[in-house]
Amino acid sequence: MSEQAVHVQKPGWVTVNVFNRAVAWLTRRGISVWGSRILAVRGRKSGQWRRTPVNLLTFGGERYLVAPRGHVQWTYNMREAGGGRLLLGRRVEEFTAAELGDDEKVPVLRAYLKRWKAEVGVFFGGVGPNSSDEELRAIAPRHPVFRLTSGQER
């Protein structure tokens, strides 16, 4: 899928300048807000570490990262790098990541929306945790989902 062909809904000013910054600030100090972490992943072009706040979902004994805003820079970088680091204060956890196929995403998207719909629901075009499997499957191609396998914590 080409980067130019994918529509990404940009977050609003309040989300970027107030909410994301507040959550990132707390997370960097070791306070998780509903599963928040700082994702660090190497840039696919620069090789430099890039950081962004994310919501870490634990579901069915597995851990996932969902891209509510769609195919964004961290998702392209994750595909290239195959993993990264999750930061919570001074705690650093390395992980590998495997991207789910669209059919596998339905229960994960439902669980993600059940937990964070108030925060990210606007990015899912009216689809929520009570939507049908068909509705969730229809939006699945627009929202990358990665299953994480823990590596080493330091």
Side-chain angles (χ1 to χ4, degrees):
M1 179 178 303
S2 81
E3 293 180 36
Q4 294 77 23
V6 178
H7 172 69
V8 176
Q9 183 167 350
K10 300 286 184 188
W13 186 90
V14 171
T15 299
V16 171
N17 294 295
V18 178
F19 187 77
N20 280 0
R21 286 184 183 184
V23 169
W25 186 86
L26 289 167
T27 304
R28 282 192 303 271
R29 280 144 187 85
I31 301 168
S32 176
V33 180
W34 284 18
S36 65
R37 299 290 189 277
I38 300 297
L39 169 65
V41 65
R42 287 202 182 268
R44 64 195 179 285
K45 295 175 185 171
S46 70
Q48 299 297 311
W49 286 99
R50 304 293 183 200
R51 293 180 179 203
T52 189
V54 293
N55 292 322
L56 178 63
L57 173 68
T58 300
F59 172 71
E62 302 276 358
R63 296 179 326 140
Y64 300 91
L65 290 178
V66 175
R69 293 177 183 92
H71 298 268
V72 294
Q73 294 303 316
W74 75 259
T75 64
Y76 296 117
N77 292 339
M78 183 77 74
R79 285 184 193 111
E80 181 75 21
R85 297 174 178 162
L86 290 173
L87 313 171
L88 180 60
R90 293 183 181 178
R91 183 177 158 209
V92 177
E93 177 192 350
E94 298 198 13
F95 66 89
T96 57
E99 189 167 6
L100 300 186
D102 291 339
D103 291 333
E104 297 175 278
K105 294 178 188 177
V106 171
V108 177
L109 290 172
R110 185 181 309 285
Y112 187 85
L113 286 165
K114 189 176 220 176
R115 175 130 187 177
W116 288 293
K117 184 175 189 293
E119 179 185 337
V120 300
V122 67
F123 303 115
F124 288 87
V127 174
N130 297 321
S131 295
S132 69
D133 286 355
E134 293 76 24
E135 291 169 312
L136 287 160
R137 175 58 179 85
I139 65 160
R142 297 193 307 261
H143 300 282
V145 176
F146 296 88
R147 180 181 297 117
L148 307 186
T149 302
S150 289
Q152 190 174 357
E153 191 174 306
R154 43 183 182 107

